[in-house]
Amino acid sequence: MHGSDLDLMVEKYHRALDAFITGDSELQKKLFSKREDVTLANPLGPPARGRNAVEQTMDRAASQLRQGEPISFERISGYTGTELAYIVEIERARAKVGGSDEVSPIPLRVTTIFRWEDGEWKVLHRHADPILSPRPIESIVQA
């Protein structure tokens, strides 16, 4: 099992997210899989697949954040297997978003899937969205 290695990876991942909310995507990019089946589904658009698309999506999102404050992480669930692992967390950050001069809260519900690659854990998939409270079924209908 690679459980202790995953704990170290999650620590690095959290530090990279702290940098991300200041507008720096470089640390996070290093932790994602280099393989072409890597995916990212952030709250700003459709899922990205493939290394280049994922990096472009990260850069676009990070460019809209500045003066972020460290994120708190609330672990909801997780599992570590021999080749795959996942965590489900609530991430809570504050940052200046877009053109705003106000520091705003940014709470996200996040699922991250890790894969054991070449002797270390890498992020295979990240899905984040702002849904943190119950919503009516009608909220899924697009007008």
Side-chain angles (χ1 to χ4, degrees):
M1 288 290 207
H2 313 292
S4 61
D5 293 329
L6 182 65
D7 291 340
L8 293 173
M9 170 55 164
V10 170
E11 285 180 35
K12 286 186 208 175
Y13 179 59
H14 286 169
R15 283 195 304 271
L17 290 166
D18 287 343
F20 192 89
I21 63 166
T22 69
D24 179 3
S25 61
E26 293 306 311
L27 288 175
Q28 194 174 21
K29 285 190 227 177
K30 291 177 184 176
L31 300 178
F32 272 64
S33 173
K34 306 249 185 289
R35 298 181 186 169
E36 286 307 305
D37 61 348
V38 65
T39 53
L40 173 62
N42 74 15
L44 306 179
R49 181 182 168 98
R51 185 67 188 189
N52 288 336
V54 166
E55 287 191 0
Q56 288 172 10
T57 299
M58 283 184 200
D59 288 342
R60 188 172 67 250
S63 73
Q64 298 176 62
L65 299 167
R66 60 193 194 292
Q67 295 180 11
E69 299 170 3
I71 299 174
S72 69
F73 302 93
E74 177 188 344
R75 180 76 54 92
I76 305 299
S77 181
Y79 173 80
T80 305
T82 55
E83 300 295 320
L84 292 173
Y86 79 88
I87 56 174
V88 176
E89 296 180 312
I90 303 299
E91 298 176 358
R92 296 184 191 279
R94 293 173 38 88
K96 291 184 179 179
V97 179
S100 176
D101 287 329
E102 304 263 337
V103 174
S104 300
I106 308 168
L108 295 172
R109 171 180 70 171
V110 181
T111 300
T112 308
I113 301 171
F114 301 90
R115 177 170 55 200
W116 187 254
E117 294 181 8
D118 305 319
E120 63 183 343
W121 289 106
K122 291 290 187 179
V123 176
L124 173 62
H125 174 74
R126 173 181 165 90
H127 173 266
D129 66 49
I131 301 172
L132 295 178
S133 60
R135 296 181 178 195
I137 189 66
E138 292 82 6
S139 70
I140 65 172
V141 176
Q142 292 188 1

